Amino acid sequence: MGIPTGKKLRALAISLLGVLALLLQPCAAARPISETPTIDGSRSLHLPLRGSMLRGPENVAFDGNDNGPYSGVSDGRVLKWNGPVRGWSTYAYGPGYDAKACTASRTRPAEVTEGRCGRPLGLRFHFESGNLYIADAYKGLMRVGPGGGVAKVLVNKADGVPLRFTNGVDVDQVTGEVFFTDSSMNYQRSQHERVTATRDSTGRLMKYDPKTNQVTVLQSGITYPNGLAISADRTHLVVALTGPCKLMKHWIKGPKAGTSEPLTDLPGYPDNVRADGKGRFWVALHREKMELPLGPDSHLLAVRINADGKVVQLMRGPKSVRPTEVMEREGGKLYMGSVELPYVALVRE
């Protein structure tokens, strides 16, 4: 290896500054987790996407008949997995989708087309109706009926303010009410790094009532709200706050209804939160708080927390994997999505 040139030194300096900027973000110290049971996330089966430039199955959803997984991808579509023989097929897409215009290429990456084509992030089915709710980063909250097809935009503004970064979504399976987040009123998904870097606190938590078609802002002024999940007893929501590396609890029922409180500090930057069906939650971590580019090729992929916010299980894996969601199914199957990979991973059976 020769002596670094000035250009190489500048590139190295920029890289180190980027790492330093992440480490200086306002994440509070998390609780010690050194002796917590750990899953090896590198032992996984891949459900690969078709298309060399197709990426980003961020969210994982199953319908009421246990079909799936379903996942949104970088060209604006929601895909359905049909098994290893048939693979993925198109299930839904937003208004204005055009296959030719929305297919990325080396000269036209998805970051260029997603403003027009959409970028599905959160996905949740309402099992009784068969409707799929889609939190599209650019188009807003959408819904597609059983069988899929063109999704209808339900909400693209709240209190007169446009949604700029629609992100997480969950459904109360009893009432049909839909809870979702808008990560920022200032930045779009393509500018997500600015949300963290500027400590933007214009995020909102909202509720959509399908019976009245009304949207209600439950809380505003939140720092980077991302994924969310409704609790097993349906009394509160657990909301991931990406920039601060925290989880927030927002009460929707009972004497504390309409109020929020901290739930726990996390050892990394959370993305989506999913209930595990046992009163606990899986939280995907896109990056560890104190992660460095050098050293062992292993980092935290996700943590499972209990109702009190205590970390009760970890998932570790290679640094090339940056998970956005971990979803648990019956039998302990764990499905993992990522905006940077061309597949959904089935972590264990």
Side-chain angles (χ1 to χ4, degrees):
M1 184 170 64
I3 300 173
T5 64
K7 184 178 294 186
K8 289 182 179 179
L9 288 173
R10 285 194 297 272
L12 178 61
I14 292 172
S15 176
L16 291 175
L17 285 174
V19 171
L20 182 59
L22 280 174
L23 297 179
L24 292 177
Q25 294 304 319
C27 283
R31 302 174 186 179
I33 54 175
S34 58
E35 298 181 0
T36 306
T38 302
I39 294 172
D40 182 1
S42 65
R43 300 178 62 182
S44 60
L45 171 68
H46 297 169
L47 312 183
L49 303 177
R50 294 172 182 168
S52 60
M53 300 298 293
L54 200 59
R55 292 289 186 276
E58 158 147 339
N59 221 254
V60 180
F62 286 81
D63 62 29
N65 296 317
D66 290 330
N67 295 318
Y70 298 76
S71 192
V73 290
S74 56
D75 66 358
R77 292 178 296 157
V78 174
L79 305 182
K80 176 184 177 181
W81 176 254
N82 304 284
V85 176
R86 292 183 57 197
W88 297 94
S89 62
T90 299
Y91 183 76
Y93 42 86
Y97 173 80
D98 178 87
K100 183 177 181 180
C102 295
T103 299
S105 66
R106 296 192 181 280
T107 58
R108 187 181 60 186
E111 289 78 8
V112 175
T113 63
E114 65 182 22
R116 170 189 171 179
C117 303
R119 184 62 173 94
L121 298 180
L123 302 177
R124 293 294 185 277
F125 277 94
H126 179 230
F127 299 141
E128 183 178 353
S129 66
N131 291 328
L132 173 63
Y133 288 91
I134 306 166
D136 187 285
Y138 296 88
K139 297 182 182 295
L141 180 67
M142 305 193 301
R143 180 177 64 203
V144 65
V150 181
K152 177 183 178 181
V153 176
L154 302 173
V155 182
N156 57 18
K157 63 181 178 180
D159 288 348
V161 180
L163 306 183
R164 290 185 60 82
F165 191 169
T166 321
N167 204 329
V169 65
D170 203 358
V171 178
D172 186 322
Q173 296 296 337
V174 176
T175 66
E177 294 174 325
V178 182
F179 301 92
F180 64 105
T181 59
D182 182 23
S183 293
S184 172
M185 294 167 64
N186 293 322
Y187 300 103
Q188 295 184 312
R189 196 201 82 88
S190 58
Q191 304 166 302
H192 66 92
E193 293 179 352
R194 296 291 298 161
V195 182
T196 301
T198 63
R199 305 186 185 183
D200 180 89
S201 296
T202 62
R204 295 179 288 178
L205 173 64
M206 288 161 286
K207 178 183 74 173
Y208 170 75
D209 187 341
K211 297 176 182 177
T212 64
N213 291 322
Q214 297 296 311
V215 61
T216 304
V217 177
L218 302 178
Q219 185 175 337
S220 58
I222 311 174
T223 304
Y224 207 155
N226 200 322
L228 75 162
I230 191 169
S231 63
D233 61 5
R234 301 171 40 248
T235 61
H236 63 274
L237 305 170
V238 173
V239 184
L241 308 181
T242 299
C245 300
K246 296 177 181 289
L247 294 179
M248 176 183 80
K249 180 186 290 187
H250 181 87
W251 294 93
I252 54 177
K253 290 184 179 180
K256 294 183 179 180
T259 66
S260 296
E261 61 191 55
L263 178 58
T264 192
D265 295 315
L266 295 167
Y269 296 85
D271 202 305
N272 284 302
V273 183
R274 290 301 297 261
D276 68 355
K278 305 168 187 175
R280 299 169 297 183
F281 303 88
W282 276 107
V283 184
L285 300 177
H286 189 68
R287 182 183 296 273
E288 280 190 75
K289 177 192 171 188
M290 299 301 293
E291 184 174 322
L292 294 174
L294 305 177
D297 185 24
S298 177
H299 72 149
L300 278 176
L301 302 178
V303 295
R304 192 205 301 257
I305 66 161
N306 64 16
D308 298 322
K310 180 182 178 181
V311 174
V312 296
Q313 196 168 23
L314 311 175
M315 184 191 297
R316 299 192 67 88
K319 293 180 181 180
S320 60
V321 178
R322 300 291 174 181
T324 50
E325 176 159 292
V326 172
M327 179 187 188
E328 183 165 355
R329 301 290 290 166
E330 292 183 5
K333 292 183 179 180
L334 295 172
Y335 289 84
M336 181 169 62
S338 170
V339 295
E340 298 173 351
L341 296 176
Y343 58 80
V344 169
L346 173 56
V347 176
R348 66 172 184 171
E349 296 186 79

